[in-house]
Amino acid sequence: MAEKEDNAFQEDDHRAAYVFNPLSDGTAAAPSAGAAPRPAKRRRLPSKKAALSGGSEDQPSGFVSAGFLPLFNGLESPGAVNLRRELFEAAWPVLEGRVQNVLREANRSTLDEVSTFLRAAEGEKDKIPAGFIITGPNIASQDLLFEQLAETLCKGSQTRFVRLRSAEAPNLKATLRKIIRDATVRVTGDNEEGDDVEVSVGQDGRRYLDYDLEALHVSLKLQQSRRVIIAFQDSEAFDNGLLTDLIALFHSWHDRIQFSVLFGIATSVELFRARLLKSIARHLFGAQFDVVQTGAVLDSVFKSAVAGSHALLRLGPSLLRSLVERQQDQVAGIQVFISSLKYAYMCHLYANPLSILLADDARINRELLQAEHIEAARSLESFKTHVEASVEARQLNHARSLLDEDDYLVEQILEQARKRGDYLLQLLRSLHLIAASGLISTPFTDLYITALSEGIDLTSEKASVLDPLQRLGPDEVISLIHRLLSAIENGSPELDLQGWESDGDELVASLSEIRDEVEALVEHAKDNRKVLKSKYSAQSRVLRTTVVAQKVQLSHDTATLTDEDKAFTEAIDRLAGLFSQNVNCEPVASLFLHEAWVYDSKSPYRDVFVPRPGITLSRALSRPNDYLGCTCCSKANGTVTATMPTTAVLYHLYLEAGALINVADLWSAYYALVGDESDIGMDERTALVHFYRALGELRAMGFVKQSKKKADHIAKLKWI
Amino acid sequence: MTNALFQLPDELVLTTLAQAFPCRDSQIRALATLLHPAAAPCRNLVLYGTEATGKTAVTTALLESLETEEIDSEGPSLKFAVVNSVECITSRHLFESIVGKAAVALDWDRAPSKCETVSQLAVELSKMLKYTSRPDSFRFALVFDGIDRQREAPPTLLPALARLSEIIPCLTTVFIVTSPPANFLRTSFVPHLRFPNYTKAEFVAILATDPPVPLPNTTAQETADLWARFAAAVHDALAHAASRTLPSIKHACSALWPRFTAPILTGTHAPREFSKLLVAARVYFHDERLLDPGIVAPTVPAQPAPNGTCPAANGSAPVPPTTLTQTLKAAAAPTTDLASLLPITARLLLLAAYLASHNATRHDLVLFSTHHHGRRRRRGGLSVGVGRGAGGRSKHRKIARKLLGAHAFVLERMMAIFAAVRGEWDARFLESGGEAADAADVGMAIATLASLRLLVRVGGAQAGGDPMDRGGKWRVNAGWEVVRGLGRSMGVEVEDWLIE
């Protein structure tokens, strides 16, 4: 196993906390041992394999399989490990590509608008065309947009595109340098004859300063292009003075180099305008472009990557809900969502041995499933529920075989893989029908999550679909049926759902039947000059006013339903029945062995994407024995003891102190705890060393700082 | 003819120029006298005047025509170079541009070496002008455009440049500045030439040279007449208050013209009925907002826009506006609301920062503590202020804190306020059981607000330290209107949480 040598992962690499144990090190490095078994230095050596074969195909496999360790304490067979690896390699890149596609599509209309605007503004003489792109506050997602802009705008035309980020533009000189470099470098990159175009040397041998736009001018003249587009990606972060200077400079060069500017704006154009001087703003004329907002993008990404039938792994409802809520509440762009998705895939396929069940039937067989797999399956929650349920249902044989016979269980497992596909198909079709019916306005994301967690059951009280359906008028019913039929016929390309006309011919037939019937009734009612109504849509009780002898009489009257109306009511009832019959699914948690293909644990995600350093630090400092696992302070239980690490002791004292802490007092309190009279009996010099080091650590962690208000005091910085 | 002691340039040149630049006749003649090699060429010359009075344009055009004229005749010759200080980033850049442009003007083929200081500049120019044999009457004019705006200029730059012509006799240096301080060149007797701003008659005359395209169902002559009277009216209405320079008057005219002539297009009034038109368009003449040089397209359709921005303006560009309110509404429409852009945590943080900036620290306990009363004892800023005002007048009147601008606050204080108000303002937060105030998401929200410059670190880079240092000082950079809107988007009346 060559890869084991290359990437010798050690146990310590994956532990949550590193426990420093000087004693064990001390015995190992005892002088008697002589040649102490030092851990081999991990050096970055050029891989032999790569050096030999120049291997481009060897590299990735070695790299990836390194991450996939045999689970079950190393008992997992290489075949299963490989299968997991292949599953991940096959699933994620496809999904990622689809997501990227969705994101790129989302920006398309903005791109078109911007390029039309810039093309139209080409001949502008005295003003600089400026596009203001409202990107929203998410800076990470701007990158893709500007990348696409660069691609679109540079295509075909002789245009240079320069992207500026505030971090790269500290002052005028550096910014100009970057602009000139970017605008000229691409020339040499694109063109074979670019060698004779030097950045700093013009054709007459004159050298230019590297921030001299003359150099850019000369280089552009050689390339017969006059257009340069400068994109300020995060315009808010740019210095006002810098923007002013740049725009003034661009304007003064405008007769020689055609500058256009694009601003990525996170807040609003008005706020941006307010930052510019009037005399500078006069030089710009522009148009505002809106980017598709995060909510809409999230919906389509969700449809294609989470809900779509291409997604291999299903994310569980609680994880999904927290992901979606985070998108709404926090400053987390769509990129965070995608990486969370990837992380969920990785967690499942790297760490869950049962994830091999995700593979299609041809790939798993009896040999692949080891005894450990079967044992793991038996320990699942859903297995337990299933067995208990079958005992309740008096299927004792089934339950017993599940528990005792491995082969029987394997058979069941393999069958579940097929059932999974059916379940998903049914789920997606139901959701698609609900969405297509347009009866409720809940966004698809919520619909999907609710369907996973609670199932779809239209007959239950909570479901609010049937009520509006029953109240529909005849014309609406017909159009609803049309929508449903076309949904069945076309499926949903976003969800990768094919039309299922052939599967659902029964449904299609009954729907068309109801439609024909309602149409006939409508015709009939039209002939009779009546309005068709149903039991639900008509007000069954009508308040009638009659004027008799100059007095108003109110009388309640029950509207009578004609025969047509009754027939229509009956048709609607049938439609509702049909709908609720075809649109249903169970909650995902009720399925047997769903743990193999649903990933629903929140805590790894939270630990990685929403770390909480403050809480972690204060917890570790207030109860260090939980982490160190030492016996000496096990009975401390939240109080301070002398045996704790000095920093933890000081942290306890720190919590009791006020805003300003006298260091001398702190020292005396500490020394009283650990000094000669205490159980430890540390001598003063050692205690002082410990004290200073701990104080230094507290300062490094940002708890205290030097105070200028009082001599010999430190100020408390963290209160919450 | 060549030996005449004093000879003005060809009258034809001056007349052509005077036509190209109306109302600048005297300046052109004076300049020609002072620049022409055969007239009274001077060493240094200062041209000054406010923005857009034709200083640069007249000088460049005059020098160009003088140069070409001299090439034709056998007489004294003149070359020139114009250096625009706006384009020069450093003084070294300025010197190199001077040398470069002079070399181009003189067809100097030797590759110039680098030129970092004034003394090197003097050497380079001497090489080109002094130590090369030129005809006796040769002059070289070096024009420094906007030299008073030069970046990174050492204080000795201007006097040094003024000395160049003492070293090189055939050099004329022209300084174009906005308003020169007395004796700013530190040399005696420099002729100054003033380019005054235009008077009303001159403005109208200049605008009349460029009448707009004739309106439909009128003749070109009628349109031109109407344009002239219209320009005079615009000048009377707006020039003193809002637009004193030629470009802004032009902008105002072009912004108002379509609105002014709308009745003619619809056929309500004839182009000769000037006073009726004026009455109809009276409201526009009162409004200075139309003159604001907006940076977004909605103002563009006011000009006869050949650039076709309207379709690209994302549907926000209004149809040719008919009433003022409609226009203004359209101008306000494209505002994308900050509240809809920022997620909830960021909004809460921004509000907390605003409260931290605008409340005194000593009031924090009253505002945010729930310790003694179970419910917070809240004192609304407005009600307190009114009550006190109605009662006895307080002895020292203070300026409202809101008007004083944002104060700096310690990050930890903002976080404490955030933690205190979060439970009350965000219903979902309580449902979810509450989270730590220092989770990574909160840090990210702060970083985003900082990158949007809605929160600003006080002390900046020189204060150093980690941006997440709890002791760091910050300041909110969002105005009252924005914050109030933000608060209302979450059902919070920020006014209630401010104490004067």
Side-chain angles (χ1 to χ4, degrees):
Chain A
M1 286 233 143
E3 66 240 35
K4 254 195 179 167
E5 293 165 19
D6 286 345
N7 302 287
F9 272 96
Q10 305 202 339
E11 273 300 292
D12 289 344
D13 291 352
H14 305 293
R15 276 200 202 148
Y18 174 68
V19 180
F20 175 63
N21 193 352
L23 282 180
S24 67
D25 220 31
T27 49
S32 61
R38 271 180 148 208
K41 261 190 187 172
R42 275 199 241 161
R43 251 186 281 164
R44 191 177 294 240
L45 291 167
S47 169
K48 276 175 229 156
K49 260 192 275 174
L52 281 178
S53 59
S56 49
E57 66 267 37
D58 286 300
Q59 202 66 13
S61 72
F63 163 68
V64 172
S65 58
F68 283 89
L69 296 177
L71 299 169
F72 297 130
N73 285 329
L75 291 177
E76 196 182 15
S77 67
V81 177
N82 254 341
L83 184 56
R84 281 193 289 128
R85 197 194 79 211
E86 281 164 22
L87 277 175
F88 181 74
E89 279 172 2
W92 181 249
V94 175
L95 208 62
E96 195 173 28
R98 294 176 62 84
V99 169
Q100 288 302 327
N101 217 11
V102 168
L103 292 181
R104 289 180 153 265
E105 277 304 309
N107 286 336
R108 171 119 326 155
S109 66
T110 315
L111 291 180
D112 288 347
E113 281 169 16
V114 172
S115 42
T116 341
F117 165 71
L118 287 179
R119 219 173 302 130
E122 200 140 356
E124 183 64 28
K125 281 286 176 293
D126 31 303
K127 286 191 173 194
I128 305 175
F132 302 98
I133 306 173
I134 312 285
T135 52
N138 188 8
I139 294 163
S141 64
Q142 293 173 359
D143 249 5
L144 179 71
L145 175 71
F146 280 97
E147 202 176 285
Q148 280 178 279
L149 272 175
E151 279 169 23
T152 330
L153 294 174
C154 287
K155 210 185 327 174
S157 59
Q158 286 283 356
T159 308
R160 308 273 157 259
F161 192 89
V162 180
R163 297 160 64 185
L164 287 180
R165 249 164 301 190
S166 58
E168 299 164 339
N171 55 42
L172 187 61
K173 257 198 243 176
T175 316
L176 285 175
R177 234 173 247 152
K178 177 163 170 46
I179 290 175
I180 293 168
R181 208 174 44 230
D182 283 13
T184 47
V185 154
R186 203 166 297 159
V187 176
T188 46
D190 284 355
N191 238 323
E192 300 85 9
E193 56 186 328
D195 290 0
D196 48 11
V197 186
E198 285 252 352
V199 178
S200 55
V201 182
Q203 70 212 107
D204 53 352
R206 191 183 153 198
R207 299 191 70 83
Y208 297 103
L209 293 170
D210 53 357
Y211 46 81
D212 191 351
L213 284 177
E214 188 82 39
L216 179 61
H217 179 48
V218 169
S219 134
L220 289 181
K221 217 158 52 183
L222 289 181
Q223 295 297 316
Q224 274 111 36
S225 64
R226 297 182 58 209
R227 198 110 199 265
V228 178
I229 299 174
I230 316 274
F232 297 86
Q233 284 196 354
D234 44 348
S235 62
E236 270 84 3
F238 279 88
D239 195 35
N240 281 357
L242 177 63
L243 278 182
T244 311
D245 282 352
L246 277 178
I247 293 172
L249 192 63
F250 291 162
H251 183 255
S252 106
W253 275 95
H254 199 61
D255 51 346
R256 284 150 287 173
I257 310 173
Q258 274 209 347
F259 281 107
S260 309
V261 287
L262 293 176
F263 294 98
I265 289 186
T267 49
S268 71
V269 177
E270 275 71 32
L271 286 181
F272 180 75
R273 163 72 185 83
R275 291 172 58 204
L276 293 180
L277 296 175
K278 226 178 191 176
S279 58
I280 295 298
R282 216 175 51 204
H283 294 156
L284 297 177
F285 86 95
Q288 178 178 337
F289 308 98
D290 290 314
V291 176
V292 182
Q293 282 307 309
T294 325
V297 177
L298 177 69
D299 221 42
S300 25
V301 168
F302 188 89
K303 272 186 184 166
S304 83
V306 177
S309 57
H310 270 264
L312 179 70
L313 179 70
R314 295 284 133 181
L315 298 197
S318 67
L319 175 63
L320 268 186
R321 183 154 290 151
S322 74
L323 285 181
V324 170
E325 265 173 18
R326 181 146 181 260
Q327 288 288 310
Q328 289 158 357
D329 291 359
Q330 312 289 352
V331 191
I334 197 78
Q335 264 71 16
V336 171
F337 184 77
I338 295 166
S339 37
S340 319
L341 215 57
K342 181 174 186 183
Y343 188 68
Y345 268 75
M346 288 175 75
C347 278
H348 192 67
L349 286 162
Y350 275 66
N352 189 347
L354 286 178
S355 59
I356 55 165
L357 297 182
L358 281 170
D360 46 13
D361 300 344
R363 307 284 297 278
I364 11 176
N365 41 34
R366 179 68 188 89
E367 289 79 58
L368 210 57
L369 294 172
Q370 305 161 249
E372 285 83 7
H373 282 124
I374 289 162
E375 198 187 327
R378 286 211 174 105
S379 65
L380 291 179
E381 191 65 30
S382 67
F383 180 85
K384 228 166 84 186
T385 348
H386 183 70
V387 170
E388 279 169 6
S390 32
V391 170
E392 298 246 321
R394 295 277 151 208
Q395 296 172 327
L396 293 179
N397 281 341
H398 177 64
R400 182 177 297 274
S401 324
L402 278 180
L403 286 170
D404 293 344
E405 291 173 33
D406 286 359
D407 288 336
Y408 186 74
L409 179 58
V410 167
E411 218 171 85
Q412 291 289 317
I413 288 174
L414 294 182
E415 195 180 322
Q416 284 312 311
R418 254 158 266 138
K419 281 191 184 165
R420 166 171 64 105
D422 296 345
Y423 170 78
L424 289 179
L425 204 58
Q426 171 64 19
L427 172 74
L428 290 184
R429 283 178 182 174
S430 307
L431 286 174
H432 185 50
L433 280 184
I434 291 183
S437 75
L439 291 171
I440 42 176
S441 57
T442 328
F444 183 84
T445 326
D446 289 354
L447 218 55
Y448 179 81
I449 295 174
T450 322
L452 279 189
S453 63
E454 293 163 20
I456 307 174
D457 183 12
L458 294 184
T459 48
S460 78
E461 302 233 321
K462 270 197 277 176
S464 52
V465 179
L466 288 188
D467 234 28
L469 191 151
Q470 284 168 336
R471 289 215 199 99
L472 293 180
D475 296 337
E476 292 156 325
V477 166
I478 294 172
S479 76
L480 169 70
I481 294 177
H482 274 295
R483 280 201 303 271
L484 291 180
L485 283 177
S486 81
I488 293 174
E489 189 187 340
N490 299 326
S492 162
E494 270 181 311
L495 291 170
D496 282 312
L497 194 61
Q498 312 241 312
W500 65 98
E501 229 175 354
S502 50
D503 288 2
D505 43 2
E506 217 172 290
L507 174 64
V508 170
S510 4
L511 277 178
S512 341
E513 192 186 313
I514 295 177
R515 181 190 60 193
D516 296 343
E517 198 181 320
V518 173
E519 271 171 358
L521 283 172
V522 169
E523 278 298 308
H524 196 74
K526 212 182 264 171
D527 292 344
N528 293 347
R529 302 226 178 98
K530 272 185 184 165
V531 182
L532 199 59
K533 51 186 188 274
S534 73
K535 187 169 79 181
Y536 311 101
S537 64
Q539 295 255 295
S540 51
R541 295 168 70 101
V542 173
L543 206 60
R544 218 166 250 202
T545 49
T546 28
V547 180
V548 179
Q550 294 184 339
K551 279 182 186 168
V552 180
Q553 286 188 342
L554 294 177
S555 58
H556 289 288
D557 199 5
T558 315
T560 46
L561 293 174
T562 57
D563 286 345
E564 285 92 42
D565 291 346
K566 277 177 191 150
F568 179 58
T569 310
E570 193 252 347
I572 279 191
D573 281 342
R574 259 194 298 145
L575 177 64
L578 200 64
F579 199 59
S580 57
Q581 196 185 336
N582 278 282
V583 175
N584 61 350
C585 82
E586 293 170 64
V588 74
S590 70
L591 297 180
F592 181 46
L593 292 184
H594 69 270
E595 285 93 339
W597 52 276
V598 176
Y599 179 79
D600 197 15
S601 60
K602 272 203 286 192
S603 65
Y605 154 74
R606 290 212 74 87
D607 286 348
V608 170
F609 287 94
V610 201
R612 297 181 296 171
I615 301 280
T616 317
L617 273 183
S618 63
R619 172 119 195 2
L621 284 175
S622 53
R623 294 167 161 271
N625 49 309
D626 291 0
Y627 300 86
L628 297 175
C630 57
T631 49
C632 48
C633 19
S634 57
K635 53 190 179 300
N637 199 18
T639 55
V640 57
T641 57
T643 50
M644 281 180 175
T646 319
T647 317
V649 176
L650 282 197
Y651 180 71
H652 276 280
L653 297 174
Y654 164 89
L655 287 183
E656 292 159 14
L660 282 177
I661 306 169
N662 187 340
V663 181
D665 288 352
L666 194 65
W667 158 247
S668 55
Y670 172 70
Y671 190 62
L673 204 63
V674 301
D676 290 329
E677 283 98 66
S678 73
D679 338 335
I680 310 184
M682 212 184 279
D683 69 276
E684 191 172 348
R685 278 193 74 79
T686 328
L688 203 57
V689 168
H690 280 284
F691 178 75
Y692 273 123
R693 203 173 77 173
L695 214 52
E697 280 175 9
L698 278 186
R699 197 176 73 171
M701 286 187 279
F703 285 103
V704 294
K705 74 165 187 189
Q706 192 75 41
S707 168
K708 282 183 199 132
K709 285 184 187 152
K710 252 178 173 178
D712 301 333
H713 279 62
I714 47 177
K716 196 169 173 178
L717 280 185
K718 273 178 96 80
W719 295 87
I720 47 170
Chain B
M1 182 183 164
T2 47
N3 293 330
L5 199 57
F6 181 84
Q7 180 199 353
L8 273 175
D10 196 354
E11 188 60 30
L12 190 64
V13 175
L14 297 183
T15 331
T16 335
L17 271 179
Q19 274 166 6
F21 299 96
C23 314
R24 289 285 96 140
D25 201 23
S26 62
Q27 280 81 10
I28 292 171
R29 282 174 188 283
L31 198 57
T33 314
L34 291 172
L35 286 176
H36 191 57
C42 57
R43 292 183 160 174
N44 294 317
L45 173 61
V46 175
L47 308 184
Y48 69 102
T50 50
E51 182 194 14
T53 42
K55 303 181 293 290
T56 312
V58 166
T59 315
T60 321
L62 178 70
L63 282 170
E64 266 168 12
S65 51
L66 287 183
E67 189 180 23
T68 47
E69 181 205 9
E70 304 312 338
I71 289 169
D72 300 341
S73 65
E74 285 295 305
S77 60
L78 175 86
K79 300 272 185 195
F80 76 102
V82 182
V83 181
N84 189 355
S85 270
V86 176
E87 292 168 13
C88 299
I89 314 300
T90 55
S91 51
R92 180 181 171 192
H93 192 179
L94 175 75
F95 300 144
E96 300 211 340
S97 314
I98 295 170
V99 175
K101 293 210 165 142
V104 171
L106 292 166
D107 295 329
W108 188 257
D109 48 358
R110 255 166 281 170
S113 59
K114 62 182 179 179
C115 180
E116 287 177 34
T117 55
V118 183
S119 27
Q120 275 174 313
L121 174 72
V123 171
E124 289 297 331
L125 285 181
S126 304
K127 268 194 221 161
M128 284 189 256
L129 297 168
K130 199 173 172 184
Y131 302 122
T132 315
S133 62
R134 305 266 178 200
D136 276 350
S137 54
F138 171 80
R139 307 256 347 149
F140 186 77
L142 195 52
V143 182
F144 299 108
D145 190 5
I147 190 74
D148 49 347
R149 303 261 168 90
Q150 174 62 40
R151 292 185 194 88
E152 295 183 21
T156 52
L157 177 72
L158 283 170
L161 290 179
R163 290 294 180 286
L164 281 178
S165 53
E166 288 175 13
I167 300 169
I168 307 161
C170 65
L171 182 70
T172 302
T173 44
V174 182
F175 299 90
I176 301 182
V177 293
T178 306
S179 70
N183 199 17
F184 74 116
L185 292 179
R186 300 273 176 274
T187 180
S188 58
F189 185 63
V190 180
H192 281 49
L193 187 57
R194 177 164 178 241
F195 281 67
N197 203 356
Y198 303 98
T199 59
K200 178 186 172 186
E202 286 171 342
F203 269 128
V204 175
I206 292 171
L207 286 173
T209 56
D210 182 24
V213 278
L215 299 163
N217 62 48
T218 55
T219 62
Q221 184 55 43
E222 277 175 333
T223 308
D225 288 348
L226 185 65
W227 171 255
R229 299 183 73 182
F230 165 74
V234 171
H235 182 271
D236 286 342
L238 298 168
H240 273 290
S243 51
R244 292 173 184 229
T245 61
L246 186 59
S248 62
I249 286 266
K250 262 187 185 159
H251 172 76
C253 285
S254 58
L256 289 173
W257 178 249
R259 293 175 174 82
F260 180 74
T261 54
I264 301 179
L265 293 182
T266 54
T268 340
H269 297 301
R272 296 208 170 274
E273 299 170 304
F274 179 74
S275 44
K276 279 186 188 170
L277 285 170
L278 196 60
V279 169
R282 190 180 45 202
V283 62
Y284 303 124
F285 284 85
H286 291 166
D287 194 69
E288 286 171 18
R289 261 178 292 186
L290 288 172
L291 305 182
D292 192 19
I295 51 173
V296 184
T299 54
V300 172
Q303 304 164 354
N307 41 42
T309 46
C310 316
N314 203 10
S316 61
V319 284
T322 48
T323 66
L324 182 64
T325 46
Q326 200 181 339
T327 327
L328 294 178
K329 216 182 280 168
T335 323
T336 316
D337 196 9
L338 193 59
S340 63
L341 286 172
L342 288 177
I344 291 174
T345 314
R347 275 187 258 169
L348 280 172
L349 275 171
L350 193 57
L351 290 189
Y354 188 85
L355 293 184
S357 254
H358 291 263
N359 277 324
T361 320
R362 66 191 135 94
H363 294 310
D364 281 356
L365 206 63
V366 180
L367 274 171
F368 304 109
S369 164
T370 52
H371 187 253
H372 292 296
H373 307 279
R375 268 192 61 83
R376 190 194 58 262
R377 194 155 50 104
R378 190 196 298 174
R379 296 199 304 174
L382 191 65
S383 58
V384 169
V386 168
R388 194 184 289 155
R393 303 224 183 266
S394 61
K395 274 187 187 149
H396 26 254
R397 295 187 186 163
K398 277 195 202 161
I399 304 172
R401 270 180 86 86
K402 206 161 59 191
L403 303 177
L404 276 178
H407 295 240
F409 53 84
V410 182
L411 181 65
E412 184 72 3
R413 186 170 157 237
M414 183 189 89
M415 296 304 289
I417 293 178
F418 173 66
V421 290
R422 196 182 191 186
E424 190 154 344
W425 288 354
D426 187 5
R428 295 252 300 276
F429 175 69
L430 283 186
E431 274 172 35
S432 61
E435 294 164 60
D438 71 333
D441 278 342
V442 177
M444 203 145 134
I446 295 178
T448 305
L449 289 177
S451 82
L452 300 184
R453 293 289 190 273
L454 291 170
L455 274 185
V456 186
R457 186 106 197 266
V458 182
Q462 64 266 31
D466 188 359
M468 289 311 286
D469 177 17
R470 290 309 185 90
K473 291 215 161 181
W474 294 74
R475 196 160 49 77
V476 75
N477 195 24
W480 166 241
E481 295 294 328
V482 176
V483 167
R484 186 170 58 179
L486 217 57
R488 286 188 179 156
S489 74
M490 290 189 303
V492 175
E493 203 55 65
V494 184
E495 189 101 77
D496 295 345
W497 294 81
L498 292 171
I499 290 184
E500 288 292 320

